[in-house]
Amino acid sequence: MAEPIIVTGAAGFIGRNVVAELNARGEDELILVDELGVSKPGEAEKWKNLVGLRYEDIISPEDFLGLLEEGAYQDARAVIHMGACSATTEKDADYLLRNNYQYTRVLCNWAQAQGARFVYASSAATYGDGSSGYDDSDAATAMLRPLNMYGYSKQIFDLWALKHGLFDQGEGGNIVGLKYFNVYGPHEDHKGDMRSVVVKSFEQIRSSGEVKLFKSYRPEYKDGEQMRDFIYVKDAVDMTLHFALQEAGAPGGLFNCGTGKARTWLDLTRAVFAAMGREPKIEFIEMPKELQGKYQYFTEADMQKLRAAGYAKPFTSLEDGVRDYVQSYLEKRDA
């Protein structure tokens, strides 16, 4: 087998799209790592994300570590580590610690020992309420204060990698972390309540003709004008592969993965209505109390560091991304 590329979380949202794009670029010597699990009532089955993809093997996360200990895949070119618990509402802190921090650390150490490129998913959740800004510089990273355990589980790996110089150029460095902002797009159906507001809005419009959005509890933001940096999954994948397919000795770093342009929930919702050819009808509802103190009112990625690292492609506009998602995927899915 030619030098394989390992993709963890391969049946998940971003991971599945990464595998599809690798296939489109002629890559099929792929080792997929994921748990397909048991779907909850009303949720899409995760295994369906793999249908139509080309790969060499698929392995559970636990079995994969065992194979590494036995000496498998030492010729791997790259590890694209998207596997994690991505539920911002997850309460089991020990589970998040094991799954999002410790597993990542073991995999990173292995990739470093093999000389394989290592690209992993961090998160914009590390920025907390945004009061410290959205600066992805090394100096700013240590000052961040996440609002939930999911964000913290991502930050502690970022901090560990920083402490050990793993983002530095030169021997022992060169890993890449990507702080994904609000990613939306095809193949997120299995994520239940963690799906994007694009697909939730689409389904609400289909069933009732209107969309429900949370009210604002801060006077400087009107209802629906809370802002996020929404990035289409196709752009997030392209950014990921920009780093993953570089040579193992290429520069590393921790980078924001957004567009650099915050938009409101109203902008997003109106884009869904427009893509469906409907007039907007929006109702504002109370936010659950458990979310009110942990809610980000504004996120906007600082993209200077990414641009300086050589990524020059333009980003898909919110309107174009939503239109493509709705018309090329969601409407066909529900036809």
Side-chain angles (χ1 to χ4, degrees), residues 216-218 221 226-228 287 295-299:
S216 171
Y217 295 83
R218 285 171 53 175
Y221 293 93
Q226 306 96 317
M227 303 183 82
R228 290 284 192 285
M287 186 185 297
Y295 186 80
Q296 291 176 312
Y297 276 75
F298 178 88
T299 68

Side-chain angles (χ1 to χ4, degrees), residues 46-64:
K46 196 174 175 183
W47 66 266
K48 292 182 178 179
N49 278 349
L50 297 174
V51 174
L53 300 179
R54 305 190 312 277
Y55 52 91
E56 176 65 24
D57 204 356
I58 180 165
I59 307 162
S60 76
E62 292 76 17
D63 289 345
F64 180 65

